[in-house]
Amino acid sequence: MPLTKEYLVSLNIEEDKITAILDELQNEVEKTAELSQKLAIKEKEIEEMKTQADAQYRRHLLKENLRKSGYSDSASRLIANKSDFANRLMTDSDGKPTNINDVISAIQADADFGCFTPKIENLSHSPATPPTNTGEGWTKEKIMSVKNTAERQALIAENPRIFGI
């Protein structure tokens, strides 16, 4: 049964006590409404914080996966922080990216970030052959015969294996 003035009168409660009870009840209702508003504001702030934390986590995931794909640290940081590609990243229940290859393909196709695309080529060639020695080269005696001290020291620095350095 609702707590009304008529109900309290039917219980034979004095008029001044009824007024005090109803005033106290009104104060409690106002406090509850105020607390409810504060709670709604805090819940909204918590949701915003969760959204920011999720966006930061997605940027971190994108940076790490771009580095693994061959992008430099600065390029991966720039792409993750200055684009919406991190928002496109989907994660599974463990927080691991599920569509990273699609996101990287989109980055490579994007005109603004295409310059950061690492050039990965399938190289199937034989190792380079070293250049052949066409001159006599320097010997210890030739270097020691140079009169200019600065030139001689420069030649020794250029040919340390001759002197066992």
Side-chain angles (χ1 to χ4, degrees), residues 16-77:
D16 58 337
K17 289 182 181 179
I18 291 174
T19 304
I21 291 171
L22 292 176
D23 287 345
E24 185 63 31
L25 185 61
Q26 181 63 31
N27 288 340
E28 290 299 319
V29 168
E30 289 172 1
K31 286 179 186 177
T32 303
E34 183 180 322
L35 289 174
S36 179
Q37 288 175 345
K38 287 181 179 179
L39 179 63
I41 291 170
K42 291 297 180 187
E43 287 174 344
K44 185 177 178 183
E45 289 174 0
I46 289 170
E47 284 302 314
E48 289 175 4
M49 286 184 213
K50 284 181 181 178
T51 302
Q52 290 173 354
D54 183 57
Q56 186 174 0
Y57 178 70
R58 288 176 188 275
R59 283 192 301 271
H60 173 73
L61 272 178
L62 183 59
K63 282 189 277 190
E64 291 301 314
N65 282 284
L66 287 173
R67 286 185 194 134
K68 290 176 186 175
S69 297
Y71 286 80
S72 69
D73 288 342
S74 59
S76 61
R77 189 173 42 252

Side-chain angles (χ1 to χ4, degrees), residues 59 62 78-87 107 113:
R59 283 192 301 271
L62 183 59
L78 177 74
I79 292 169
N81 291 336
K82 300 290 184 189
S83 68
D84 69 329
F85 291 109
N87 294 336
I107 291 168
F113 297 109

Side-chain angles (χ1 to χ4, degrees), residues 63-143:
K63 282 189 277 190
E64 291 301 314
N65 282 284
L66 287 173
R67 286 185 194 134
K68 290 176 186 175
S69 297
Y71 286 80
S72 69
D73 288 342
S74 59
S76 61
R77 189 173 42 252
L78 177 74
I79 292 169
N81 291 336
K82 300 290 184 189
S83 68
D84 69 329
F85 291 109
N87 294 336
R88 297 182 193 180
L89 194 63
M90 300 180 116
T91 56
D92 60 11
S93 60
D94 294 332
K96 295 179 182 173
T98 58
N99 65 336
I100 189 65
N101 293 332
D102 297 336
V103 174
I104 290 175
S105 296
I107 291 168
Q108 291 171 344
D110 188 271
D112 292 338
F113 297 109
C115 60
F116 295 113
T117 303
K119 302 289 189 265
I120 300 172
E121 299 174 7
N122 186 6
L123 301 177
S124 57
H125 65 281
S126 61
T129 56
T132 57
N133 190 358
T134 57
E136 288 182 22
W138 288 97
T139 63
K140 187 175 184 178
E141 292 77 26
K142 283 184 180 179
I143 292 173

